Amino acid sequence: MLATDFIRTAVVEDITSGRFDRRVHTRFPPEPNGYLHIGHAKALAISAGIARDFGGKFNLRFDDTNPVKEEEEYVDGIIADVRWLEHDFGDEIFYASDYFEQTYQWAEQLIEQGQAYVDDLSPDEIREHRGTLTSPGTDSPYRNRSVEENLDLFRRMRAGEFPRAARVLRAKIDMASPNINLRDPIMYRILHQTHHRQGDAWCIYPMYDWAHGLGDSIEGITHSLCDLGYRDHRPLYNWFLEQLGIYHPRQIEFARLFMTYTVLSKRKLLQLVQGGCVRGWDDPRMPTIAGMRRRGYSADSINDFCARIGISTANSVVDVALLEHAVRHDLNRHSPRAMAVLDPIKIVIDNYPEGKVEWMEIDNHPQHPEMGTHRIPFCREIFIERSDFMENPPRKYYRLAPEREVRLKSAYLVTYKGVVKDRDDNVVEIHCTYDPESRGGQAPDGRRVRGTIQWVSAMHAVNAELRLYDRLFSRENPENVEENETFLDSLNPSSLEVLTSCKVEPSLAETKPGDRYQFMRTGYFCTDPDTTEGHLVFNRTIALRDTWAKIQKKQ
RNA sequence: UGGGGCGUGGCCAAGUGGCAAGGCAACGGACUUUGAAUCCGUGUAUCGCACGUUCGAAUCGUGCCGCCCCAGCCA
């Protein structure tokens, strides 16, 4: 396997040196206190991807050591997301909470080795004793209790003899360490909180730093990959494992993902949900896996994006346009084409027989004939996009206009004859004639017709609700706000536009939630779960690239 | 004024002493029954800055500048 990034380079080193018996075993350790987002997709792609590339194993392990913040709902959501992203985590799901007894026993071992002690200081006192970034901390007066007293106290902590926050178990390392994580970090705290899996079996819970490496060790993880935030914790990760004398994985850190026009912190995402700024964790505007899935992003496109952004240790902000590119790239290849008119205006084809219906055949994908074809009905009255007609067209406009001929995709060539207007001078109906010899859209005499537009038979059209999404935030960096503002002030007021009277081709009546299409000349759409019989709802996953819009801007 | 990281074209990112990959974006053009897709083309990058080592430095050394992270009984 090629070492394409610095982590894979390290893994290759370890394999060639035989460090872990040539094994590769990674893990993804989410805390079930929120839904996964695109940043997690990156972490997942790295850890699961490395296991896959090197023929190793990959574990999904919930870091559920803090019952105060964790919920079952999140566990289920996370499992569904990881599965949807198609990462193979085997048949088993791991939980840090399953190791609580072993973790506890190891804590007693550390106490017996004189490397951990029970501290009676209050939270405030502990903070004061910790010192500051520039000054060393001071030892707790309880730091030198005897092994016997520590053991007794710790067992009574477990037995529930003390109230919440009364005491903690701390590692005895170095209160003067320049690395604050080494200033006698807390290993256990008293919570008296029901755990989503352990129930009331425990009233003391291990801290992340203490529990994490142990879980890695128990599972035989070789490479424990995490974000840069844990760089300073590595000496502690190593210290615990060394003192215990147990199997010792290697921790390697990489930079978290940041993306333009996006916020990626569980706290802020929670705020959006609870504040009603979006309709839930799976709102299609959310950068969550659930949101992107509902919106219509494919797992492949998300994984492809993760591969494209690379891995490094430099904090960087990826342009959301790269994600959009990955989405379009994958959707273009796999989405069947269909016709939809978002803002309909009627065309009457004067020389087309009334009541006549012809079923036109249309490719499901212009570049992939193996995807087949389907049929759409054509008749005298059809709908086209209001923007595909202009009475006074600008230069280079080659859609329908006075004196112009245009092609109705896969149907006929039609020529403008006139319009019907209302009292306010709005065009309400366009009259055309068609060339009966142009069935399929080909001119019999070979004349060139530049414009091709989509259409839907008025008689057969199905009504649909289309939800058009734009970026959730209008500022490239939502956090870059004025003095008294928050990231919520960066919210884009028009991130959602609902169109309720769109006309789509009748074949779409059978669509099921999750189905993806390209509505020709418009964008990629995905059937929303809100769809019911008789009421179609589509989410616009992403619009097509629009060169015409650019030309217009320049004009 | 503590410790740990990071600085390569607009945005990512290769490169680890021999004369700066690639992707995205942007901009041209070709083709086109989606103004989509596809194809072709376009960048004088002071490699944060300054000294230094070397025949030769983005790569090594020193100093400086800038940005990020760490003082939860969160993970």
Side-chain angles (χ1 to χ4, degrees), chain A residues 65 69 165 189 230-232 312 317 332 337 396 398-399 407 409 440 442 450 518 521 547 554:
Chain A
T65 56
K69 295 164 59 177
R189 71 292 212 183
Y230 295 100
R231 183 50 251 258
D232 294 344
S312 77
V317 184
N332 172 56
R337 313 286 125 131
K396 288 188 176 173
Y398 47 83
R399 277 111 96 144
R407 175 168 29 245
K409 169 74 185 172
Q442 199 76 3
R450 183 75 194 271
Q518 184 202 87
R521 303 209 310 132
T547 307
K554 272 189 257 174

Coordinates of all heavy atoms in Angstrom, one line a residue, chain A residues 65 69 165 189 230-232 312 317 332 337 396 398-399 407 409 440 442 450 518 521 547 554, chain B residues 2-6 11-14 23 26 28 32-37 68 72-75:
Chain A
T65 N -18.4 7.7 28.4 CA -17.9 7.7 29.8 C -18.6 8.9 30.6 O -18.3 9.1 31.8 CB -16.4 7.9 29.8 OG1 -16.1 9.1 29.1 CG2 -15.7 6.7 29.2
K69 N -24.2 13.7 29.5 CA -24.5 14.3 28.2 C -24.9 13.3 27.1 O -25.2 13.7 26.0 CB -23.2 14.9 27.7 CG -22.7 16.1 28.6 CD -21.3 16.5 28.4 CE -21.0 16.9 26.9 NZ -19.6 17.4 26.8
A165 N -19.3 14.9 43.2 CA -18.2 15.9 43.2 C -17.5 16.0 44.5 O -16.7 16.9 44.7 CB -18.7 17.3 42.7
R189 N -14.6 10.6 38.5 CA -15.4 11.6 39.3 C -16.7 10.9 39.7 O -17.1 9.9 39.1 CB -15.6 12.8 38.4 CG -16.5 12.8 37.3 CD -16.1 12.0 36.1 NE -16.7 12.6 34.9 CZ -16.6 12.2 33.7 NH1 -15.9 11.1 33.4 NH2 -17.1 12.9 32.7
Y230 N -5.8 16.6 20.7 CA -5.3 15.6 21.6 C -3.8 15.5 21.6 O -3.2 14.7 22.3 CB -5.9 14.3 21.3 CG -7.4 14.3 21.6 CD1 -8.3 14.4 20.5 CD2 -7.9 14.2 22.9 CE1 -9.7 14.5 20.7 CE2 -9.3 14.3 23.1 CZ -10.2 14.4 22.0 OH -11.5 14.5 22.2
R231 N -3.1 16.3 20.8 CA -1.6 16.3 20.8 C -1.0 16.4 22.2 O -0.2 15.6 22.5 CB -1.2 17.4 19.8 CG 0.3 17.6 19.5 CD 0.9 16.3 19.1 NE 1.8 15.8 20.2 CZ 3.1 15.9 20.2 NH1 3.8 16.4 19.1 NH2 3.8 15.5 21.2
D232 N -1.5 17.3 22.9 CA -0.9 17.6 24.3 C -1.3 16.5 25.2 O -0.8 16.4 26.3 CB -1.4 18.9 24.8 CG -0.9 20.1 24.0 OD1 0.1 19.9 23.3 OD2 -1.4 21.2 24.2
S312 N -3.4 16.4 6.9 CA -2.2 17.1 7.3 C -2.3 17.6 8.7 O -3.3 17.3 9.4 CB -2.0 18.3 6.4 OG -2.8 19.4 6.8
V317 N -9.0 25.7 6.1 CA -10.4 25.8 5.8 C -10.7 25.4 4.4 O -10.2 26.0 3.5 CB -10.9 27.2 6.0 CG1 -12.4 27.3 5.9 CG2 -10.5 27.7 7.4
N332 N -23.9 13.3 -11.1 CA -24.0 13.3 -12.6 C -23.9 11.9 -13.2 O -24.6 11.6 -14.0 CB -22.9 14.2 -13.1 CG -22.8 14.1 -14.7 OD1 -23.9 14.4 -15.3 ND2 -21.7 13.7 -15.2
R337 N -32.1 11.0 -15.5 CA -32.6 12.4 -15.9 C -34.2 12.4 -15.9 O -34.8 11.4 -16.2 CB -32.1 12.8 -17.2 CG -30.6 12.6 -17.5 CD -29.8 13.6 -16.7 NE -28.8 12.9 -15.9 CZ -27.5 13.1 -15.9 NH1 -26.9 14.1 -16.6 NH2 -26.7 12.4 -15.1
K396 N -27.1 36.8 -26.9 CA -26.7 35.4 -26.5 C -27.7 34.6 -25.8 O -27.5 33.5 -25.4 CB -25.4 35.4 -25.7 CG -24.2 35.8 -26.4 CD -23.0 35.6 -25.5 CE -21.6 35.9 -26.2 NZ -20.5 35.9 -25.2
Y398 N -30.5 32.1 -26.1 CA -31.0 31.3 -27.2 C -32.0 30.3 -26.7 O -32.0 29.2 -27.1 CB -29.8 30.6 -27.9 CG -28.7 30.0 -27.2 CD1 -28.9 28.7 -26.7 CD2 -27.5 30.6 -27.0 CE1 -27.9 28.1 -26.0 CE2 -26.5 30.0 -26.3 CZ -26.7 28.7 -25.8 OH -25.7 28.1 -25.2
R399 N -32.9 30.8 -25.9 CA -34.1 30.1 -25.6 C -35.3 30.6 -26.4 O -35.1 31.3 -27.4 CB -34.4 30.2 -24.1 CG -33.5 29.2 -23.2 CD -32.4 29.9 -22.4 NE -32.8 30.1 -21.0 CZ -32.1 29.9 -20.0 NH1 -30.8 29.6 -20.1 NH2 -32.5 30.2 -18.8
R407 N -35.9 23.9 -29.3 CA -36.2 22.5 -29.2 C -36.8 22.1 -27.9 O -36.2 22.5 -26.8 CB -34.9 21.7 -29.5 CG -35.2 20.2 -29.3 CD -34.0 19.4 -29.9 NE -32.8 20.1 -29.8 CZ -32.1 20.6 -30.8 NH1 -32.4 20.3 -32.1 NH2 -31.0 21.2 -30.7
K409 N -36.9 19.3 -25.5 CA -36.0 18.2 -25.3 C -36.7 16.9 -25.7 O -37.8 16.6 -25.1 CB -35.5 18.2 -23.9 CG -34.8 16.9 -23.4 CD -33.4 16.8 -24.0 CE -32.9 15.4 -23.6 NZ -31.6 15.2 -24.3
G440 N -38.8 13.9 -32.0 CA -37.5 13.5 -31.3 C -36.6 14.7 -31.1 O -35.7 14.7 -30.3
Q442 N -35.1 16.4 -33.9 CA -34.2 16.5 -35.0 C -34.8 17.3 -36.1 O -35.9 17.0 -36.5 CB -33.8 15.1 -35.5 CG -32.5 15.1 -36.3 CD -31.3 15.2 -35.5 OE1 -31.4 15.2 -34.3 NE2 -30.1 15.2 -36.1
R450 N -30.3 26.1 -31.7 CA -29.4 26.1 -30.5 C -30.0 25.8 -29.2 O -29.5 25.0 -28.4 CB -28.7 27.5 -30.5 CG -27.7 27.7 -29.4 CD -26.4 27.0 -29.8 NE -25.5 26.8 -28.7 CZ -24.6 27.7 -28.3 NH1 -24.5 28.8 -29.0 NH2 -23.8 27.4 -27.3
Q518 N -31.7 13.8 -11.8 CA -31.2 15.1 -12.2 C -32.4 15.7 -13.0 O -32.9 15.1 -13.9 CB -30.1 15.1 -13.2 CG -29.6 16.5 -13.6 CD -28.8 16.5 -14.9 OE1 -29.4 16.7 -16.0 NE2 -27.5 16.4 -14.8
R521 N -31.4 20.5 -16.7 CA -31.1 22.0 -16.7 C -31.4 22.7 -15.4 O -31.3 23.9 -15.3 CB -31.9 22.7 -17.9 CG -31.6 22.0 -19.3 CD -31.8 23.0 -20.4 NE -33.1 23.7 -20.3 CZ -33.2 25.0 -20.4 NH1 -32.1 25.8 -20.6 NH2 -34.4 25.6 -20.2
T547 N -23.6 28.3 -16.4 CA -22.7 29.2 -17.2 C -23.5 30.4 -17.6 O -23.0 31.5 -17.7 CB -22.1 28.5 -18.4 OG1 -21.5 27.3 -17.9 CG2 -21.1 29.3 -19.1
K554 N -22.1 39.1 -16.1 CA -21.1 39.9 -16.7 C -21.8 41.0 -17.6 O -21.2 42.1 -17.7 CB -20.2 39.1 -17.6 CG -19.0 38.5 -16.8 CD -18.0 37.9 -17.7 CE -18.1 36.4 -17.7 NZ -17.3 35.7 -18.6
Chain B
rG2 P 7.2 31.8 27.7 OP1 8.1 30.8 27.1 OP2 6.0 32.3 27.0 O5' 6.7 31.2 29.1 C5' 7.5 30.4 29.9 C4' 6.9 29.0 30.2 O4' 5.5 29.2 30.6 C3' 6.8 28.1 29.0 O3' 8.0 27.4 28.8 C2' 5.7 27.2 29.4 O2' 6.1 26.2 30.4 C1' 4.7 28.2 30.1 N9 3.8 28.7 29.1 C8 3.8 30.0 28.5 N7 2.8 30.2 27.7 C5 2.1 29.0 27.7 C6 1.0 28.6 27.0 O6 0.3 29.2 26.1 N1 0.6 27.3 27.3 C2 1.3 26.5 28.1 N2 0.7 25.2 28.3 N3 2.3 26.8 28.8 C4 2.7 28.1 28.6
rG3 P 8.4 26.9 27.3 OP1 9.7 26.3 27.3 OP2 8.1 28.0 26.3 O5' 7.3 25.8 27.0 C5' 7.4 24.6 27.8 C4' 6.2 23.7 27.4 O4' 4.9 24.4 27.7 C3' 6.0 23.4 25.9 O3' 6.9 22.4 25.5 C2' 4.6 23.0 25.9 O2' 4.4 21.7 26.4 C1' 3.9 24.0 26.8 N9 3.5 25.2 26.1 C8 4.1 26.4 25.9 N7 3.5 27.2 25.1 C5 2.4 26.5 24.7 C6 1.3 26.9 23.8 O6 1.1 27.9 23.2 N1 0.4 25.8 23.7 C2 0.5 24.6 24.3 N2 -0.5 23.7 24.0 N3 1.5 24.2 25.1 C4 2.4 25.2 25.3
rG4 P 7.4 22.4 24.0 OP1 8.4 21.3 23.8 OP2 7.7 23.8 23.5 O5' 6.1 21.9 23.2 C5' 5.4 20.7 23.6 C4' 4.1 20.5 22.8 O4' 3.2 21.6 23.2 C3' 4.3 20.7 21.4 O3' 4.8 19.5 20.8 C2' 2.8 21.0 20.9 O2' 2.0 19.8 21.0 C1' 2.4 21.9 22.1 N9 2.6 23.3 21.8 C8 3.6 24.2 22.2 N7 3.5 25.4 21.7 C5 2.3 25.3 21.0 C6 1.6 26.4 20.2 O6 1.9 27.5 20.1 N1 0.5 25.9 19.6 C2 0.0 24.6 19.7 N2 -1.1 24.3 19.1 N3 0.6 23.6 20.4 C4 1.7 24.1 21.0
rG5 P 5.5 19.6 19.3 OP1 6.0 18.3 19.0 OP2 6.3 20.8 19.2 O5' 4.1 19.8 18.5 C5' 4.2 20.4 17.2 C4' 2.8 20.7 16.7 O4' 2.1 21.6 17.6 C3' 2.8 21.4 15.4 O3' 3.0 20.4 14.4 C2' 1.5 22.1 15.4 O2' 0.4 21.3 15.1 C1' 1.4 22.6 16.8 N9 2.1 23.9 17.1 C8 3.2 24.1 17.8 N7 3.6 25.4 17.8 C5 2.6 26.0 17.0 C6 2.4 27.4 16.7 O6 3.1 28.3 17.0 N1 1.3 27.6 15.9 C2 0.4 26.6 15.5 N2 -0.6 26.9 14.8 N3 0.6 25.3 15.8 C4 1.7 25.1 16.6
rC6 P 4.1 20.7 13.2 OP1 4.2 19.4 12.5 OP2 5.3 21.3 13.8 O5' 3.4 21.7 12.3 C5' 2.0 21.5 11.9 C4' 1.4 22.8 11.4 O4' 1.3 23.7 12.6 C3' 2.2 23.6 10.5 O3' 2.1 23.1 9.2 C2' 1.5 25.0 10.6 O2' 0.3 25.0 9.9 C1' 1.3 25.0 12.1 N1 2.4 25.8 12.8 C2 2.4 27.2 12.7 O2 1.4 27.7 12.1 N3 3.3 27.9 13.4 C4 4.3 27.2 14.0 N4 5.2 27.9 14.6 C5 4.3 25.8 14.1 C6 3.4 25.1 13.5
rC11 P -5.8 31.6 0.0 OP1 -5.9 32.0 1.4 OP2 -4.5 31.1 -0.6 O5' -6.9 30.4 -0.3 C5' -8.2 30.5 0.4 C4' -8.8 29.1 0.3 O4' -9.0 28.7 -1.1 C3' -7.9 28.0 0.8 O3' -8.0 27.9 2.2 C2' -8.5 26.8 0.1 O2' -9.7 26.3 0.7 C1' -8.8 27.4 -1.3 N1 -7.7 27.2 -2.2 C2 -7.6 26.0 -2.9 O2 -8.4 25.1 -2.7 N3 -6.6 25.8 -3.8 C4 -5.7 26.7 -4.0 N4 -4.8 26.5 -4.9 C5 -5.8 28.0 -3.4 C6 -6.8 28.2 -2.5
rC12 P -6.9 27.1 3.0 OP1 -7.1 27.2 4.4 OP2 -5.5 27.4 2.4 O5' -7.2 25.6 2.6 C5' -6.2 24.6 2.5 C4' -6.8 23.3 2.0 O4' -7.3 23.5 0.7 C3' -5.8 22.2 2.0 O3' -5.7 21.5 3.2 C2' -6.3 21.3 0.8 O2' -7.4 20.6 1.3 C1' -6.8 22.4 -0.1 N1 -5.8 22.9 -1.0 C2 -5.3 22.1 -2.1 O2 -5.8 21.0 -2.2 N3 -4.3 22.6 -2.8 C4 -3.8 23.8 -2.7 N4 -2.8 24.2 -3.5 C5 -4.2 24.6 -1.6 C6 -5.2 24.2 -0.8
rA13 P -4.3 21.3 3.8 OP1 -4.5 20.4 5.0 OP2 -3.6 22.6 4.0 O5' -3.5 20.4 2.7 C5' -4.1 19.2 2.2 C4' -3.3 18.8 1.0 O4' -3.4 19.8 -0.1 C3' -1.8 18.6 1.2 O3' -1.6 17.4 1.8 C2' -1.3 18.7 -0.2 O2' -1.5 17.5 -0.9 C1' -2.2 19.8 -0.8 N9 -1.7 21.1 -0.8 C8 -1.9 22.1 0.1 N7 -1.3 23.3 -0.2 C5 -0.6 23.0 -1.3 C6 0.2 23.8 -2.2 N6 0.5 25.1 -1.9 N1 0.7 23.2 -3.3 C2 0.4 21.9 -3.5 N3 -0.4 21.1 -2.8 C4 -0.9 21.7 -1.7
rA14 P -0.1 16.9 2.2 OP1 -0.3 15.7 3.0 OP2 0.7 18.1 2.6 O5' 0.4 16.4 0.8 C5' 1.7 16.0 0.7 C4' 2.0 15.7 -0.8 O4' 1.5 16.7 -1.6 C3' 3.4 15.5 -1.1 O3' 3.8 14.2 -0.8 C2' 3.5 15.8 -2.6 O2' 3.1 14.7 -3.4 C1' 2.4 16.9 -2.7 N9 2.9 18.2 -2.7 C8 2.7 19.2 -1.9 N7 3.2 20.4 -2.2 C5 3.9 20.1 -3.4 C6 4.7 20.9 -4.2 N6 4.9 22.2 -4.0 N1 5.2 20.3 -5.3 C2 5.0 19.0 -5.5 N3 4.2 18.2 -4.8 C4 3.7 18.8 -3.7
rG23 P -5.3 18.2 -12.0 OP1 -6.0 17.6 -13.1 OP2 -4.6 19.5 -12.1 O5' -6.3 18.3 -10.7 C5' -7.0 17.1 -10.3 C4' -7.7 17.4 -9.0 O4' -6.8 17.8 -8.0 C3' -8.6 18.6 -9.1 O3' -9.9 18.3 -9.7 C2' -8.8 19.0 -7.6 O2' -9.6 18.1 -7.0 C1' -7.3 18.7 -7.1 N9 -6.5 20.0 -7.2 C8 -5.5 20.3 -8.1 N7 -5.0 21.4 -7.9 C5 -5.7 22.0 -6.9 C6 -5.6 23.2 -6.2 O6 -4.8 24.1 -6.4 N1 -6.5 23.3 -5.1 C2 -7.4 22.4 -4.8 N2 -8.2 22.7 -3.8 N3 -7.6 21.2 -5.4 C4 -6.7 21.1 -6.4
rA26 P -15.8 28.8 -10.7 OP1 -17.1 29.5 -10.6 OP2 -15.6 27.7 -11.6 O5' -14.6 29.9 -11.1 C5' -14.5 31.1 -10.4 C4' -13.4 31.9 -11.0 O4' -12.1 31.2 -10.7 C3' -13.4 32.1 -12.5 O3' -14.2 33.1 -12.9 C2' -11.9 32.3 -12.8 O2' -11.6 33.7 -12.5 C1' -11.2 31.4 -11.8 N9 -11.0 30.1 -12.4 C8 -11.7 28.9 -12.2 N7 -11.2 27.9 -12.9 C5 -10.1 28.4 -13.5 C6 -9.1 27.8 -14.3 N6 -9.1 26.5 -14.7 N1 -8.1 28.6 -14.8 C2 -8.1 29.9 -14.4 N3 -8.9 30.6 -13.6 C4 -9.9 29.7 -13.2
rG28 P -14.0 34.2 -19.7 OP1 -14.7 35.4 -20.1 OP2 -14.7 33.0 -19.5 O5' -12.9 34.0 -20.8 C5' -13.1 33.2 -21.9 C4' -11.9 33.0 -22.7 O4' -10.9 32.3 -21.8 C3' -12.1 32.0 -23.8 O3' -12.6 32.6 -24.9 C2' -10.8 31.3 -23.9 O2' -9.8 32.0 -24.6 C1' -10.4 31.2 -22.4 N9 -10.9 30.0 -21.7 C8 -11.8 30.0 -20.7 N7 -12.1 28.8 -20.3 C5 -11.4 27.9 -21.2 C6 -11.4 26.5 -21.2 O6 -12.0 25.7 -20.5 N1 -10.5 26.1 -22.2 C2 -9.9 26.9 -23.1 N2 -9.1 26.3 -24.0 N3 -9.9 28.2 -23.1 C4 -10.7 28.7 -22.1
rU32 P -21.4 19.7 -32.1 OP1 -21.8 18.8 -33.2 OP2 -21.3 21.2 -32.3 O5' -22.3 19.4 -30.8 C5' -22.5 18.1 -30.3 C4' -23.2 18.2 -29.0 O4' -22.4 18.9 -28.0 C3' -24.5 19.0 -29.1 O3' -25.6 18.1 -29.5 C2' -24.7 19.3 -27.6 O2' -25.2 18.3 -26.8 C1' -23.3 19.6 -27.1 N1 -23.0 21.1 -27.2 C2 -23.2 21.8 -26.0 O2 -23.6 21.3 -25.0 N3 -22.9 23.1 -26.2 C4 -22.5 23.8 -27.3 O4 -22.3 25.0 -27.3 C5 -22.2 22.9 -28.4 C6 -22.5 21.6 -28.3
rU33 P -26.6 18.7 -30.6 OP1 -26.6 17.6 -31.7 OP2 -26.3 20.1 -30.9 O5' -28.0 18.6 -29.9 C5' -28.4 19.6 -28.9 C4' -29.5 19.0 -28.1 O4' -30.5 18.6 -28.9 C3' -29.0 17.8 -27.3 O3' -29.1 18.2 -25.9 C2' -30.1 16.7 -27.5 O2' -30.7 16.3 -26.3 C1' -31.1 17.5 -28.3 N1 -31.8 16.7 -29.3 C2 -33.0 16.1 -28.9 O2 -33.4 16.3 -27.7 N3 -33.7 15.5 -29.8 C4 -33.3 15.3 -31.1 O4 -34.1 14.7 -31.9 C5 -32.1 15.9 -31.5 C6 -31.4 16.5 -30.6
rU34 P -27.8 18.6 -25.1 OP1 -27.1 19.7 -25.8 OP2 -27.1 17.4 -24.7 O5' -28.5 19.2 -23.8 C5' -29.7 19.9 -23.8 C4' -30.0 20.4 -22.4 O4' -30.1 19.3 -21.6 C3' -28.8 21.3 -21.9 O3' -29.4 22.5 -21.6 C2' -28.3 20.6 -20.7 O2' -28.3 21.4 -19.6 C1' -29.3 19.5 -20.4 N1 -28.8 18.2 -20.0 C2 -29.0 17.9 -18.7 O2 -29.6 18.7 -17.9 N3 -28.5 16.7 -18.3 C4 -27.9 15.7 -19.1 O4 -27.6 14.7 -18.6 C5 -27.7 16.1 -20.4 C6 -28.1 17.3 -20.8
rG35 P -28.8 23.9 -22.1 OP1 -29.6 24.8 -21.4 OP2 -28.7 23.9 -23.6 O5' -27.3 23.9 -21.5 C5' -26.1 23.8 -22.2 C4' -25.3 25.0 -21.9 O4' -26.1 26.1 -22.4 C3' -25.1 25.2 -20.4 O3' -23.7 25.2 -20.2 C2' -25.6 26.7 -20.1 O2' -24.5 27.6 -19.7 C1' -25.9 27.2 -21.5 N9 -27.1 28.0 -21.6 C8 -28.4 27.9 -21.2 N7 -29.2 28.9 -21.5 C5 -28.4 29.7 -22.3 C6 -28.6 30.9 -22.9 O6 -29.7 31.5 -23.0 N1 -27.5 31.4 -23.6 C2 -26.3 30.8 -23.6 N2 -25.3 31.5 -24.2 N3 -26.0 29.7 -23.0 C4 -27.1 29.2 -22.3
rA36 P -22.7 24.3 -19.7 OP1 -21.7 25.0 -18.9 OP2 -22.3 23.7 -21.0 O5' -23.4 23.2 -18.9 C5' -23.9 23.5 -17.6 C4' -24.3 22.2 -17.0 O4' -25.3 21.6 -17.8 C3' -23.2 21.1 -16.9 O3' -22.3 21.3 -15.8 C2' -24.0 19.8 -16.8 O2' -24.4 19.7 -15.5 C1' -25.2 20.2 -17.8 N9 -24.9 19.7 -19.1 C8 -24.6 20.5 -20.2 N7 -24.4 19.8 -21.3 C5 -24.4 18.5 -20.9 C6 -24.3 17.3 -21.6 N6 -24.0 17.2 -22.9 N1 -24.4 16.1 -20.9 C2 -24.7 16.2 -19.6 N3 -24.9 17.3 -18.8 C4 -24.8 18.4 -19.6
rA37 P -20.8 21.0 -16.0 OP1 -20.3 21.0 -14.6 OP2 -20.2 21.8 -17.0 O5' -20.8 19.5 -16.5 C5' -21.1 18.4 -15.6 C4' -21.1 17.1 -16.4 O4' -22.0 17.2 -17.5 C3' -19.7 16.8 -17.1 O3' -18.9 16.1 -16.2 C2' -20.2 15.9 -18.2 O2' -20.5 14.6 -17.7 C1' -21.5 16.5 -18.6 N9 -21.3 17.5 -19.7 C8 -21.3 18.9 -19.6 N7 -21.0 19.5 -20.7 C5 -20.8 18.5 -21.6 C6 -20.5 18.4 -23.0 N6 -20.3 19.6 -23.7 N1 -20.3 17.3 -23.6 C2 -20.5 16.2 -22.8 N3 -20.8 16.0 -21.5 C4 -20.9 17.2 -21.0
rC68 P -5.7 32.8 16.1 OP1 -7.1 33.2 16.1 OP2 -4.7 33.4 17.1 O5' -5.6 31.2 16.2 C5' -6.3 30.4 15.4 C4' -6.0 28.9 15.6 O4' -4.6 28.7 15.3 C3' -6.1 28.5 17.1 O3' -7.4 28.2 17.4 C2' -5.2 27.2 17.0 O2' -5.9 26.1 16.4 C1' -4.1 27.7 16.1 N1 -3.0 28.2 16.9 C2 -2.1 27.3 17.5 O2 -2.3 26.1 17.4 N3 -1.0 27.8 18.2 C4 -0.8 29.1 18.3 N4 0.2 29.5 19.0 C5 -1.7 30.0 17.7 C6 -2.7 29.6 17.0
rG72 P -10.3 24.8 33.6 OP1 -10.3 26.1 33.0 OP2 -10.7 24.6 35.0 O5' -11.0 23.8 32.7 C5' -10.8 22.4 32.9 C4' -12.1 21.8 33.4 O4' -13.1 22.1 32.4 C3' -12.0 20.3 33.5 O3' -12.5 20.0 34.8 C2' -13.0 19.8 32.5 O2' -13.7 18.7 33.0 C1' -13.9 21.0 32.3 N9 -14.6 21.0 31.0 C8 -15.9 20.6 30.9 N7 -16.3 20.8 29.6 C5 -15.3 21.4 29.0 C6 -15.1 21.8 27.7 O6 -15.9 21.8 26.8 N1 -13.8 22.3 27.5 C2 -12.8 22.4 28.4 N2 -11.7 22.9 28.0 N3 -12.9 22.0 29.6 C4 -14.2 21.5 29.9
rC73 P -11.6 19.7 36.0 OP1 -11.8 20.7 37.1 OP2 -10.3 19.2 35.5 O5' -12.4 18.3 36.5 C5' -12.6 17.2 35.7 C4' -13.8 16.5 36.2 O4' -13.7 16.4 37.6 C3' -15.1 17.2 35.9 O3' -15.8 16.3 35.1 C2' -15.8 17.5 37.3 O2' -17.1 17.0 37.3 C1' -14.9 16.6 38.2 N1 -14.7 17.1 39.6 C2 -15.6 16.6 40.5 O2 -16.5 15.9 40.2 N3 -15.4 16.9 41.8 C4 -14.4 17.7 42.2 N4 -14.3 18.0 43.5 C5 -13.5 18.3 41.2 C6 -13.7 17.9 39.9
rC74 P -17.0 16.8 34.1 OP1 -17.8 17.9 34.6 OP2 -17.6 15.5 33.7 O5' -16.1 17.3 32.9 C5' -15.5 16.4 32.0 C4' -16.3 16.3 30.8 O4' -16.3 17.6 30.1 C3' -15.8 15.4 29.7 O3' -16.3 14.1 30.0 C2' -16.5 16.0 28.5 O2' -17.9 15.7 28.4 C1' -16.3 17.5 28.7 N1 -15.1 18.0 28.1 C2 -15.1 18.4 26.8 O2 -16.2 18.2 26.2 N3 -14.0 18.9 26.2 C4 -12.9 19.1 26.9 N4 -11.9 19.7 26.4 C5 -12.9 18.7 28.3 C6 -14.0 18.2 28.9
rA75 P -15.4 12.8 29.8 OP1 -16.1 11.6 30.3 OP2 -14.0 13.1 30.3 O5' -15.2 12.7 28.2 C5' -16.4 12.4 27.4 C4' -16.1 12.7 26.0 O4' -15.7 14.1 25.8 C3' -14.8 12.0 25.4 O3' -15.2 10.7 24.9 C2' -14.4 12.9 24.3 O2' -15.2 12.8 23.1 C1' -14.7 14.3 24.9 N9 -13.5 14.8 25.6 C8 -13.1 14.6 26.9 N7 -12.0 15.3 27.2 C5 -11.7 15.9 26.0 C6 -10.6 16.8 25.7 N6 -9.6 17.1 26.6 N1 -10.5 17.3 24.5 C2 -11.5 17.0 23.6 N3 -12.5 16.2 23.8 C4 -12.6 15.7 25.0

